[in-house]
């Protein structure tokens, strides 16, 4: 078995690696580090959790140890799709480069240009950035990319999902042809294949096992229900989620709860809070500082439930997550693999529970064919849907600073690139009033049922699902009362004299 000392890494890097407690290189590290140290391009097909960050950071630090940075001309560049991932790479860099004098700058949205400009002006060895923010700096004339010797593209498949590929191509063209490229992607979509053919020169191609194949530590279960009425599926899934959390008791130390849409992330987090659960949302429309605070709280154990969209949680390195709940079955099977991979890390056991309704059947089939096994059915606990009653300060907050809508429009106006695209989860439209005659024709209240069979499920199409989701939110508004919509003047006091 390869040891770190077999790899020709700088002794300062080796000592940092040993301080980090790593004993042996992971497969991607063992295979990517030698060609990277020889100056060869690397194409790594690997997911997060495989140790891929160190597989490019360690050789970069070793290679950059000789030489000095010049003002405004970074010597290396790491591109990551989201702010959180970029920040995580920067943290990794700090750990592995702690015995060197190498400098770095992190260019991400939500941080003032001024501070970042100062760092770049001084000269940095490693520039870690999201693509849009990097181009913003470049276009302001504050940055030259002609000194880049090593360029890393991390999570290229996510860049593709987020529409960053044209930016990546442009950045490739701004850097010298002679640069070394280390390129990582979890999958090789045709578009990714195309840019690697165009911009990588004879790369060492390294593919490591998919995370799904190494998930014996994760106990997966599927909790299927047939809602008492179609338009109550959102409400009843929230009740089921609470019942599942309660039935897990102390075994559920903390959990990431995934929703497919940002708007639902907010509603589910708010609903859990109103029922006394310690929950907070994370998605790309929230302020950067708020996202960081929420993540820090979750990492240090002061926050128990993180309600997340796929992109916001993708690649985040939080080793001790006891449970993952898929509040929604993901519509891309690959996301299922990424989501459940947030638990059962670093040799720990984890549980991944998925809530499903009949309309999810086709997504479930795609997942089972991807992971090549059925998700075992769990026993649905008793649950009763009860209304959410957000505390007053929450209602005010949601209509104000921390609310999804207002921060969304704020971030829109701030930057045209990655601040907008920091989270590519599908955008939901505001609730609309849509008449659904079939649902109205069957108004009787039945208790929600665990699903016995799926035969009726295929009758509910995507259109029905959308309509029902909208109706769910209408129900929600009825329960909340005036809630967020209370005009400001009604809350003011008036002088009578
Ligand atoms: P990554 O795939 O880069 O997100 O890394 C996933 C996790 O593995 C991180 O928590 C790293 O700190 C950890 N890690 C990276 N390399 C090693 C190693 N050789 N041995 C043990 N843990 C590692």
């Amino acid at each position: 078995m390869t040891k770190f000392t077999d790899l020709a890494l700088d002794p300062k890097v080796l000592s940092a690696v040993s301080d980090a407690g790593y004993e042996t290189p992971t497969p991607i590290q063992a295979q990517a580090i030698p060609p990277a140290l020889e100056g060869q391009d690397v194409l790594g097909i690997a997911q997060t959790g495989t140790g891929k960050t160190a597989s490019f950071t360690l050789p970069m630090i070793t290679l950059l140890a000789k030489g000095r940075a010049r003002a405004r001309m970074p010597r290396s560049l790491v591109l990551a799709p989201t702010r959180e991932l970029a920040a995580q790479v920067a943290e990794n860099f700090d750990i592995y480069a702690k015995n060197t004098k190498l400098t770095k700058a992190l260019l991400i949205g939500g941080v003032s240009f001024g501070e970042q400009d100062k760092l770049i002006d001084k000269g940095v060895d490693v520039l870690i950035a999201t693509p849009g923010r990097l181009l913003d700096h470049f276009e302001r004339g504050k940055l030259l990319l002609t000194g880049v010797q090593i360029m890393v593209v991390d999570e290229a498949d996510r860049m593709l999902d987020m529409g960053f590929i044209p930016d990546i191509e442009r950045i490739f063209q701004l850097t010298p042809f002679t640069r070394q490229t280390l390129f990582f992607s979890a999958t090789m979509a045709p578009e990714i294949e195309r840019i690697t053919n165009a911009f990588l020169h004879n790369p060492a191609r390294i593919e490591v096992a998919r995370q799904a194949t190494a998930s014996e530590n994760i106990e997966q279960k599927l909790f299927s229900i047939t809602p008492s009425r179609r338009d109550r599926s959102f409400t009843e899934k929230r009740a089921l989620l609470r019942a599942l959390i309660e039935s897990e008791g102390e075994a559920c130390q903390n959990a990431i709860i995934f929703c497919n849409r940002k708007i639902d992330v907010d509603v589910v987090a708010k609903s859990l809070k109103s029922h006394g659960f310690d929950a907070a949302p994370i998605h790309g429309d929230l302020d950067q500082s708020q996202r960081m605070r929420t993540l820090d709280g979750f990492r240090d154990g002061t926050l128990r439930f993180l309600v997340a969209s796929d992109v916001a949680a993708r690649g985040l390195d939080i080793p001790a997550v006891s449970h993952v709940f898929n509040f929604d079955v993901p519509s891309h099977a690959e996301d299922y693999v990424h989501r459940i991979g947030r638990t059962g890390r670093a040799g720990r056991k984890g549980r991944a529970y998925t809530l499903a309704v009949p309309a999810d059947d086709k997504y479930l089939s795609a997942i089972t064919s991807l992971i090549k096994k059925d998700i075992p059915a769990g026993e649905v606990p008793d649950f009763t849907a009860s209304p959410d009653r957000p505390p007053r300060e929450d209602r005010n907050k949601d209509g104000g600073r921390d609310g999804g809508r207002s921060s969304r429009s704020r971030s829109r106006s701030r930057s045209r690139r990655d601040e907008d695209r920091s989270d590519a989860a599908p955008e939901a439209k505001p609730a609309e009033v849509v008449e659904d005659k079939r649902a109205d024709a069957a108004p009787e209240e039945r208790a929600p049922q665990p699903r016995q069979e799926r035969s009726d499920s295929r009758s509910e199409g995507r259109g029905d699902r959308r309509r029902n989701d909208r109706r769910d939110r209408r129900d929600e508004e009825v329960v909340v009362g005036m809630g967020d919509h209370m005009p400001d003047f009604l809350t003011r006091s008036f002088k009578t004299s």
Side-chain angles (χ1 to χ4, degrees), residues 4 17 20-26 28-29 47-55 88 92 95-96 315-319 345-346:
F4 275 110
V17 164
Y22 304 165
E23 284 164 9
T24 45
T26 64
I28 184 90
Q29 291 163 2
Q47 296 186 335
T48 186
T50 53
K52 69 177 166 57
T53 317
S55 79
Q88 206 163 281
N92 274 255
I95 295 169
Y96 307 135
L316 293 178
D317 182 27
I318 304 168
R345 290 168 78 112

Side-chain angles (χ1 to χ4, degrees), residues 57 62 96 195 202 207 247 285 334 362 365 404 431 443 445 447:
T57 325
T62 302
Y96 307 135
I195 57 167
N202 189 25
E207 188 157 359
S247 70
D285 288 342
E334 299 251 316
K362 62 176 178 298
S365 327
E445 288 280 332

Side-chain angles (χ1 to χ4, degrees), residues 80-82 130-133 135 153 155-171 191-192 194-195 311 416-418 420-425:
T82 63
T130 48
R133 188 65 163 204
L135 286 172
V153 179
E155 306 243 350
D157 52 332
R158 191 47 36 166
M159 305 257 197
L160 176 66
D161 291 350
M162 297 176 78
F164 283 151
I165 295 298
D167 287 351
I168 297 292
E169 290 193 74
R170 179 147 179 246
I171 297 166
E191 185 66 357
I192 304 273
R194 183 185 67 75
I195 57 167
V311 177
R416 61 208 154 78
R417 287 203 182 93
D418 46 284
D420 273 355
R421 285 189 266 161
S422 58
D423 186 336

